């Protein structure tokens, strides 16, 4: 529907369209006509929505902070799930993974050669030398937040410690490449280039996503695409940066029995850090970590 310049802006700000999003929409349209992928209004959050995501993010950060304080050798991954479930409920939130497309737990716990979507279990006991990704996602007042961290259990091998460090650096390289009017492919290239330079690979099939009003929103965020490709980044977009970095080859497979846990094909370790951020007028705002 055509919006008049003096009509209320589509974003819900209450301002007239001409002083709110009209100029940005015109710039987006010009870039679309050049042949690029551009976001629609559904991909752009307004300030009230951003504030809701910020509040949800506070819970998500607090939950991962508690995991960081308590995680240790000898505890089970079910113990981690219990902490997440209890802390989330205590703060008035809902664990987003629980029941999502049938996922049976409140958090994902992925060890060593598990790439992602590991299912917590009382039978999986953390031991000295393990590396584990804890992927936490929270719903609060209808808004979604999402982030993950790596943890080294006890004394890990130099090889694993290096992988965890490189994975975090890849995420940081991606964050630094986020700016309005650049492309998601620019961010992806920064991530992939750093992984390659350090002898690692990036998982191709699984990537990041927009988030905030739903758990997983469009667009899919790849970390292996070329500069100048993929969706244009504009202020108000909210998405995750979460490259899955493998020590060996990028090939993966999914557990046939549980239908969720993803492993490296060659059995070598994988690591992942995740943040959610919002694109701003002059860069980015990190919402979760």
């Amino acid at each position: 529907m055509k919006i008049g310049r003096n009509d209320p802006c589509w974003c819900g700000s209450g301002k007239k369209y001409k002083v709110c999003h009209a100029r940005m929409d015109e710039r987006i349209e010009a870039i679309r006509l050049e042949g690029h992928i551009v976001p629609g209004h559904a991909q752009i959050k307004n300030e009230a929505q951003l504030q809701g995501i910020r509040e949800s993010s506070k819970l998500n950060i607090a939950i991962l902070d508690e995991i960081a304080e308590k995680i240790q050798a000898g505890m089970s991954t079910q113990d981690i799930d219990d902490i997440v479930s209890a802390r989330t409920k205590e703060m008035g939130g809902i664990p987003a993974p629980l029941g999502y497309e049938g996922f049976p737990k409140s958090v994902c716990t992925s060890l060593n050669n598990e790439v992602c979507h590991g299912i917590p279990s009382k039978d999986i006991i953390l031991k000295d030398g393990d590396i584990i990704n804890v992927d936490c996602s929270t719903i609060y007042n209808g808004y979604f937040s999402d982030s993950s961290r790596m943890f080294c259990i006890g004394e890990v091998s130099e090889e694993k410690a290096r992988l965890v460090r490189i994975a975090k650096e890849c995420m940081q390289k991606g964050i630094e490449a986020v700016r309005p009017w650049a492309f998601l492919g620019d961010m992806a290239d920064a991530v992939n280039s750093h992984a390659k330079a350090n002898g690692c690979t990036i998982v191709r099939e699984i990537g990041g996503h927009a988030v905030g009003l739903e758990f997983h929103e469009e667009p899919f965020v790849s970390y292996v695409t070329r500069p100048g490709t993929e969706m244009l980044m504009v202020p108000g977009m909210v998405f995750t940066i979460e490259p899955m970095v493998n020590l060996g080859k990028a090939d993966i497979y999914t557990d046939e029995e549980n239908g969720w846990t993803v492993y490296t094909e060659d059995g070598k370790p994988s690591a992942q850090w995740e943040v959610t951020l919002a694109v701003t007028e002059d860069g980015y705002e990190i919402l979760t970590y």
Side-chain angles (χ1 to χ4, degrees):
M1 183 181 296
K2 180 74 172 177
I3 303 174
R5 292 182 63 79
N6 288 312
D7 290 341
C9 186
W10 54 263
C11 75
S13 66
K15 299 177 183 178
K16 291 183 178 181
Y17 179 54
K18 65 182 180 183
V19 298
C20 196
H21 276 93
R23 184 173 296 180
M24 189 173 90
D25 280 355
E26 290 167 2
R27 187 171 181 182
I28 291 172
E29 177 62 10
I31 294 171
R32 185 190 70 82
L33 292 173
E34 293 174 356
H36 293 289
I37 302 169
V38 300
H41 291 166
Q43 275 84 45
I44 301 171
K45 270 65 174 181
N46 62 32
E47 184 54 38
Q49 291 167 337
L50 287 170
Q51 187 56 34
I53 300 168
R54 290 185 189 105
E55 293 303 313
S56 179
S57 297
K58 291 177 183 178
L59 273 65
N60 211 69
I61 292 166
I63 294 162
L64 281 171
D65 284 348
E66 182 162 344
I67 296 298
E69 291 175 3
K70 295 181 177 179
I71 196 167
Q72 61 181 324
M75 71 189 304
S76 71
T77 53
Q78 181 58 50
D79 292 332
I80 296 172
D81 190 81
D82 291 343
I83 293 168
V84 170
S85 180
R87 185 72 169 128
T88 305
K89 183 177 180 180
E90 177 187 311
M91 294 188 292
I94 301 169
L98 186 60
Y100 178 76
E101 295 186 354
F103 191 78
K105 298 292 181 175
S106 296
V107 69
C108 296
T109 52
S110 305
L111 280 81
N112 301 321
N113 67 323
E114 296 176 349
V115 176
C116 61
H117 304 160
I119 301 175
S121 168
K122 62 181 177 57
D123 298 321
I124 301 174
I125 307 300
L126 299 183
K127 62 183 185 299
D128 192 69
D130 283 337
I131 59 172
I132 180 172
N133 176 269
V134 179
D135 191 347
C136 183
S137 309
T138 307
I139 311 169
Y140 182 66
N141 290 337
Y143 292 97
F144 291 74
S145 52
D146 190 10
S147 59
S148 78
R149 301 181 197 173
M150 292 297 301
F151 298 99
C152 294
I153 307 302
E155 293 294 326
V156 305
S157 67
E158 183 177 338
E159 183 181 62
K160 284 182 176 179
R162 179 176 178 272
L163 175 64
V164 170
R165 175 178 57 80
I166 290 168
K168 191 170 189 179
E169 291 171 354
C170 284
M171 179 189 69
Q172 188 60 41
K173 293 288 184 182
I175 292 170
E176 292 168 359
V178 172
R179 63 185 187 278
W181 313 110
F183 295 91
L184 286 174
D186 302 335
M187 179 275 298
D189 184 66
V191 170
N192 199 23
S193 294
H194 189 72
K196 285 182 175 179
N198 285 278
C200 297
T201 60
I202 300 291
V203 171
R204 302 177 295 264
E205 299 89 339
I206 308 172
H209 53 92
V211 65
L213 307 185
E214 301 291 342
F215 194 174
H216 293 93
E217 303 173 7
E218 294 296 332
F220 171 79
V221 179
S222 171
Y223 306 106
V224 295
T225 48
R226 301 186 311 277
T229 66
E230 302 299 319
M231 187 174 284
L232 177 73
M233 292 185 281
V234 304
M237 287 178 65
V238 176
F239 57 88
T240 66
I241 296 182
E242 49 176 314
M244 298 164 197
V245 184
N246 292 353
L247 185 63
K249 296 181 179 179
D251 305 284
I252 58 174
Y253 70 95
T254 302
D255 189 306
E256 292 184 359
E257 186 174 336
N258 67 38
W260 280 102
T261 308
V262 178
Y263 298 87
T264 57
E265 184 72 44
D266 58 15
K268 292 186 177 181
S270 183
Q272 176 199 29
W273 297 78
E274 176 184 9
V275 296
T276 297
L277 52 74
V279 183
T280 64
E281 295 289 343
D282 57 1
Y284 58 85
E285 174 190 354
I286 294 176
L287 302 172
T288 63
Y289 55 85

